[in-house]
Amino acid sequence: MKKIALEVNGKKVTKEISDHTTLSGLLRDILNLTGTHIGCDTSQCGACVVHVDGKSIKSCTALAADLDGSKVTTIEGLASNGKLHPMQEAFKKMHGLQCGFCTPGMVMSAVDLLKNKKNPSDQEIRDWLEGNICRCTGYHNIVAAVKEAASKM
Amino acid sequence: MKTFNYHSAKDVKEASKLASSNSAFLAGGMTTIPSMKLGLASYKDIIDIKRIKKLSGIKVSGKTVTIGATTKHSEVANSKDVKKAIPSLAALAEGIGDPQVRNRGTIGGSIANNDPAADYPSACIALNATIHTNNRSIDAEKFFRGMFETCLKSTEVIEAIEFSIPEKSSYQKLPNPASRYAIIGVYVAKHKTGINVGVTGAKSCVYNDKDLAGALTKNFSSSAIDSVKISSSGMNSDIHASSDYRANMVKAFAKKAVDAC
């Protein structure tokens, strides 16, 4: 067991965890933040993408023990004062989701993209979302949603 | 995932001391952790080397670029110094996996794992790399031994990889569209001392294609490659590509790389 202290969505969290607990396990099973989804569980599908110290990573393949002292933002941490993040609004407006399973990861990944690139092209969006798999939409409306968000942010 | 003891080493000495035949060093974990989840690997001890500061960073001198073992792919891809000194190396890093993998995965982890379809091993071969460990310095040609096999001992920690800056170079790959691993990757580098053609994805281990290098030494142009016969014997054959197709792609991508130099 390891004792770790980290910040999750702006709140300080101290927990005792098993050495092999992943960040996705910590978020979902211990902190009940089930917005972060687990799809493939081997870092291919991207449903588990969260931000650690400002960068998007796949939380299923990060050990919680190794993130002691980090700042984590999950999909639950994007909205502020009950108002959706512009990326969430854009996914809703542009129908960037169908079943919604991949959406938390898509949104977190796309938010990271816009941090580095204010007005990405369609190709840049598709390249960036390489590690996020959606089996419903065919990606078209996801790309449209990211562009919509870029125009509002 | 089977349980293990997690250790965060404060320095290389401690990491090496904790290591055994039943342990693994952890950097980005982009292969180690999925492998453990899939039951392909299990260890008693996982020794995290990410917090050892001296293992991370990029240094450029007149003739070489030295990259610390735990430097992430995204750091190499975005480094102004690497882009200036060896643009093909920055481009290679940008083409690995996806953004989240590049935000975690490390160069040391990639070469220590020596996946037959990984990108970095071909760069090590093409750019006459020296792999510095806590015990010794190893030439890339001797470092990669076979499929997922290197000459590293279980207590040996890669500290940095030193690449020679070539006169010109290019890495071209045919990526698997899902994983972005190389179905074929060819790294051509022209140094004052000679030409290397590092090939990954084709066989069970990365190699320097001496026939292609020989033809390019006589005439550094893509047309010089036309007459080189690439045998498909010993090449990988799987659901992604047959050995004959791979042999043909080695040639096609070698030409592409020379043209892009």
Side-chain angles (χ1 to χ4, degrees), chain B residues 23-244:
Chain B
S23 72
F25 295 118
L26 182 76
M30 292 294 95
T31 300
T32 306
I33 295 174
S35 301
M36 287 194 292
K37 286 188 173 185
L38 293 168
L40 298 169
S42 66
Y43 305 99
K44 187 170 152 277
D45 297 289
I46 286 291
I47 304 151
D48 197 338
I49 57 170
K50 257 194 297 318
R51 291 184 191 237
I52 305 174
K53 283 213 173 78
K54 80 165 203 176
L55 295 184
S56 176
I58 296 166
K59 277 182 218 136
V60 179
S61 74
K63 289 179 182 165
T64 63
V65 172
T66 303
I67 303 179
T70 63
T71 310
K72 296 177 178 77
H73 306 324
S74 57
E75 292 167 336
V76 176
N78 296 320
S79 160
K80 281 184 186 144
D81 291 338
V82 178
K83 278 184 187 169
K84 198 174 159 207
I86 317 179
S88 58
L89 188 61
L92 175 149
E94 180 67 31
I96 297 173
D98 57 56
Q100 289 75 35
V101 167
R102 295 196 287 275
N103 277 342
R104 292 286 281 176
T106 68
I107 185 167
S110 169
I111 68 164
N113 189 47
N114 193 19
D115 190 303
D119 298 287
Y120 269 126
S122 70
C124 294
I125 293 291
L127 302 171
N128 292 325
T130 304
I131 289 99
H132 299 285
T133 76
N134 53 333
N135 291 327
R136 54 186 169 150
S137 296
I138 310 161
D139 288 344
E141 294 261 4
K142 290 182 185 148
F143 180 84
F144 301 106
R145 284 271 178 83
M147 197 174 193
F148 295 107
E149 197 187 332
T150 68
C151 67
L152 287 172
K153 298 196 167 59
S154 55
T155 56
E156 200 167 11
V157 182
I158 300 176
E159 295 191 334
I161 299 98
E162 185 178 6
F163 297 98
S164 300
I165 300 174
E167 289 177 348
K168 38 186 164 177
S169 63
S170 173
Y171 175 65
Q172 297 291 329
K173 79 165 161 176
L174 173 66
N176 176 314
S179 70
R180 292 293 192 261
Y181 268 103
I183 291 174
I184 279 293
V186 183
Y187 207 134
V188 173
K190 186 174 186 290
H191 300 267
K192 273 202 182 106
T193 51
I195 289 166
N196 294 321
V197 181
V199 180
T200 189
K203 297 186 178 178
S204 58
C205 183
V206 68
Y207 63 97
N208 196 355
D209 195 310
K210 305 283 182 192
D211 294 336
L212 288 170
L216 291 170
T217 305
K218 283 182 199 140
N219 173 17
F220 195 79
S221 77
S222 56
S223 61
I225 289 172
D226 287 332
S227 59
V228 179
K229 282 209 171 74
I230 306 273
S231 165
S232 63
S233 137
M235 287 211 180
N236 300 331
S237 205
D238 51 35
I239 54 164
H240 307 300
S242 68
S243 53
D244 285 341

Side-chain angles (χ1 to χ4, degrees), chain A residues 19 41 58 60 66 109, chain B residues 6 37 51 98 100 103 180:
Chain A
D19 290 26
D41 207 17
K58 293 182 174 173
C60 76
D66 123 35
S109 203
Chain B
Y6 172 87
K37 286 188 173 185
R51 291 184 191 237
D98 57 56
Q100 289 75 35
N103 277 342
R180 292 293 192 261

